């Protein structure tokens, strides 16, 4: 009896029988073009693909050399951080700069939490702010004369000691006057951002485009530190114990300054006997300091008014997040501004930057007055913050250009002092308007401060004379 043949076997056999004539065993044949190559192509070796028939498939094999795509050129910030020694001093400086946004918040939470008085906490921090405005330029002058390592590190240790004494006074319930004395000692904290900018100015003095990128990078880092610092301080003081924020800030400050000052290869040379006159007597600098004073009024008023507006809406805890959005917008705009190459000198760009800041600050005023919505206010503050960094970058660039190199740290610290004075004035004006008018109407204070800064920026500066001695000290 014959065995049955499976169906798939018969189909396979029939398919093989049918396809056998169409599968000739052909050798691999090289590909021949239908038209000859042009004469100019015969001077270089020609790599042509090989065609072969295997079973019922056509195989194309190309044995020509493989070419890789050229690597993408590095961006401006990669090129900036590729400068020898830049990453090391930047890392240390960021560690030392982060406590700048932590100390005041930690002090307020620590003092108010143990003494039960926000008035006492505010008075102590205000005293420290006033002391910093007086002491910081003298500290910067010592840094210029004796070098960053020799002057900034001892000043940092004095400031750290003042913070630790404040912590002990609060912990041990010492008299109130000891709190003022201890916090005033923290005024010797060096201007870490100014010292980083001085290093970039020393390393990139022959490259204006790279120096613009460096200034934008430093401004973005300022915004990042003042965005993360208060959040970190509040978390430490509430999650651990009231003194935790101050203690961690001291450790970060001293560790970061040790790492920063250890990078001696990038440190600007000391000027024991500077030949240049004081920055306050340098043409163009006093006008910039007044612009910084008005710009600081924008920052101080916006902070106080935003906290009051969120509190009036019943969301005081969200005020920190709303202010963080403003700092985030400024940080992003600073990085973008540094990646671009703005046309024209900085003196011509400054009025445009301040005008943009004044125009965008009208958005929070409209959002608070017309809608009263906190989410909408947060969105407008994010947009308004995008004009802050370009304004500060351009201002610091002008300070660097107009300040003699012998006293660069002093000049930039004076600009920061002007900002601090403006913050104090803006906070006072914003608080008064909130209490006597309304939080929504108080958003007119930042707009007024920005308009004042615009008027001051439009004033023509007194140009320096062509004194060979001034030219020598500048270059």
């Amino acid at each position: 009896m014959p065995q049955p043949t499976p169906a798939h076997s018969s189909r396979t056999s029939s398919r093989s029988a049918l396809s056998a004539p169409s599968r000739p065993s052909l050798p691999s044949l090289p590909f021949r073009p239908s038209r000859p190559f042009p004469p100019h192509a015969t001077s270089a070796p020609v790599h042509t693909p090989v065609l072969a028939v295997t079973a019922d498939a056509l195989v194309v094999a190309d044995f020509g050399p493989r070419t890789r795509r050229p690597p993408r050129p590095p961006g401006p910030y990669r090129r900036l951080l590729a400068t020898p020694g830049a990453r090391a001093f930047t890392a240390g400086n960021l560690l030392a700069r982060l406590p700048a946004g932590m100390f005041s918040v930690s002090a307020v939470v620590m003092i108010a939490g143990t003494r039960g008085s926000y008035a006492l906490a505010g008075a102590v921090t205000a005293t420290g702010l006033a002391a910093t405005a007086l002491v910081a330029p003298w500290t910067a002058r010592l840094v210029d004369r004796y070098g960053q390592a020799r002057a900034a590190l001892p000043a940092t240790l004095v400031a750290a000691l003042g913070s630790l004494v404040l912590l002990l006074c609060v912990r041990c319930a010492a008299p109130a006057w000891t709190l003022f004395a201890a916090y005033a000692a923290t005024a010797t904290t060096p201007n870490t951002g100014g010292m980083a900018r001085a290093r970039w100015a020393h390393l990139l003095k022959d490259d204006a485009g790279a120096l613009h990128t460096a200034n934008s990078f430093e401004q973005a880092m300022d915004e990042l530190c003042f965005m993360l610092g208060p959040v970190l301080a509040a978390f430490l003081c509430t999650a651990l114990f009231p003194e935790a924020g101050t203690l961690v800030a001291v450790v970060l400050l001293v560790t970061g300054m040790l790492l920063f000052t250890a990078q001696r290869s990038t440190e600007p040379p000391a000027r024991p006997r500077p030949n240049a006159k004081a920055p306050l007597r340098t043409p163009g600098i006093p006008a910039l300091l007044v612009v910084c004073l008005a710009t600081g009024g924008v920052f101080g008023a916006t902070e106080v008014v935003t906290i009051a507006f969120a509190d009036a809406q019943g969301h005081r805890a969200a005020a920190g997040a709303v202010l963080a959005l403003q700092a985030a917008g400024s940080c992003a705009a600073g990085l973008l501004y540094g990646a671009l190459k703005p046309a024209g000198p900085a003196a011509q760009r400054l009025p445009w930057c301040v005008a943009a800041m004044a125009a965008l600050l009208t958005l929070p005023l409209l959002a608070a007055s017309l809608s009263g919505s906190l989410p909408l206010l947060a969105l407008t503050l994010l947009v308004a913050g995008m004009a802050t960094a370009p304004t500060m970058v351009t201002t610091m660039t002008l300070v660097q250009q107009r300040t003699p190199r012998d006293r660069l740290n002093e000049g930039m610290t004076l600009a920061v002092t002007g900002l601090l004075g403006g913050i104090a004035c803006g906070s006072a004006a914003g608080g008064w308007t909130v209490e006597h008018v309304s939080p929504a109407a108080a958003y007119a204070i930042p707009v007024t401060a920005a308009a004042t800064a615009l008027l001051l920026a439009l004033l023509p500066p007194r140009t320096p004379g062509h004194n060979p001695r001034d030219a020598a000290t500048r270059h």
Side-chain angles (χ1 to χ4, degrees):
M1 181 176 178
Q3 299 291 330
T5 304
H8 69 82
S9 175
S10 61
R11 285 197 300 267
T12 305
S13 301
S14 60
R15 180 180 176 184
S16 301
L18 292 173
S19 60
S22 63
R23 280 193 291 163
S25 178
L26 298 177
S28 298
L29 300 176
F31 171 75
R32 293 288 184 266
S34 59
R35 293 183 297 176
F37 287 101
H40 67 271
T42 59
S43 59
V46 179
H47 301 281
T48 59
V50 177
L51 303 179
V53 178
T54 304
D56 54 357
L58 177 64
V59 179
V60 180
D62 187 2
F63 298 101
R66 298 293 182 265
T67 59
R68 296 182 178 179
R69 293 182 178 180
R72 177 181 293 183
Y77 293 104
R78 284 185 60 187
R79 293 195 302 269
L80 180 71
L81 295 178
T83 306
R87 294 185 181 182
F89 85 74
T90 298
N93 188 269
L94 287 180
L95 279 179
R97 198 186 306 189
L98 182 60
M102 297 177 62
F103 276 122
S104 60
V105 175
S106 299
V108 168
V109 175
M110 180 174 60
I111 297 173
T114 56
R115 300 296 178 96
S117 174
Y118 278 98
L120 177 62
V124 170
T125 54
T127 301
L129 183 65
T132 301
L134 295 175
V135 176
W138 294 93
T139 304
R141 183 175 299 181
L142 294 176
V143 170
D144 283 328
R145 289 188 177 183
Y146 300 105
Q148 294 181 354
R150 292 183 60 189
L153 188 56
T156 300
L157 295 177
V158 172
L161 182 61
S163 295
L164 293 178
V165 171
L166 174 68
L167 188 151
L168 292 176
C169 290
V170 172
R171 189 77 174 179
C172 300
W177 66 267
T178 60
L179 307 183
F180 290 92
Y183 201 68
T186 63
T188 61
T189 305
N191 180 13
T192 51
M195 290 193 297
R197 289 178 174 89
R199 293 205 179 203
W200 288 121
H202 170 65
L203 296 174
L204 307 173
K205 54 187 174 183
D206 297 326
D207 192 342
L211 186 57
H212 166 75
T213 303
N215 286 331
S216 301
F217 173 78
E218 293 298 328
Q219 184 61 37
M221 293 304 101
D222 278 341
E223 299 293 344
L224 182 65
C225 291
F226 279 99
M227 180 174 59
L228 298 179
V231 176
L232 178 60
F235 171 77
L236 292 172
C237 293
T238 54
L240 299 180
F241 48 91
E243 298 84 3
T246 299
L247 189 60
V248 172
V250 169
V251 173
L252 290 176
L253 176 63
V254 175
T255 303
M257 191 59 67
L258 285 172
L259 294 175
F260 177 73
T261 55
Q263 313 305 317
R264 304 300 292 269
S265 61
T266 56
E267 182 180 356
R271 311 284 185 176
R273 295 181 179 179
N275 296 322
K277 53 189 175 182
L280 279 176
R281 299 173 55 194
T282 303
I285 292 296
L288 283 177
L289 296 183
V290 179
V291 173
C292 289
L293 185 69
T295 306
V298 173
F299 302 151
T302 302
E303 181 176 358
V304 172
V305 174
T306 300
I307 294 174
F309 185 85
D311 192 15
Q313 300 295 318
H315 301 285
R316 186 176 185 180
V322 174
L323 291 173
L325 281 177
Q326 183 188 15
S330 181
C331 180
L335 292 175
L336 179 62
Y337 189 64
L340 302 176
K341 302 299 180 186
Q348 295 180 3
R349 297 197 308 268
L350 181 60
W352 291 102
C353 293
V354 180
M357 182 174 66
L360 292 180
L361 281 172
T362 60
L363 298 178
L365 174 61
L366 294 176
S369 302
L370 300 180
S371 70
S373 171
L374 187 61
L376 182 59
L377 176 69
L379 179 62
T380 56
L381 284 175
L382 173 67
V383 176
M386 294 181 181
T388 301
T391 301
M392 292 305 305
V393 169
T394 308
T395 302
M396 287 299 180
T397 300
L398 283 172
V399 171
Q400 289 179 351
Q401 292 176 356
R402 296 176 182 179
T403 303
R405 292 194 180 275
D406 293 358
R407 312 184 80 155
L408 189 56
N409 278 293
E410 184 181 353
M412 287 188 291
T413 303
L414 285 173
V416 174
T417 302
L419 287 172
L420 292 177
I423 290 173
C425 296
S427 299
W432 186 92
T433 309
V434 164
E435 185 174 348
H436 291 83
V437 187
S438 69
Y443 275 105
I445 300 299
V447 178
T448 304
T452 304
L454 176 60
L455 293 176
L456 295 170
L458 290 173
L459 295 177
R462 186 169 60 91
T463 57
H466 298 283
N467 190 341
R469 182 178 178 182
D470 287 345
T473 56
R474 289 177 182 276
H475 304 286

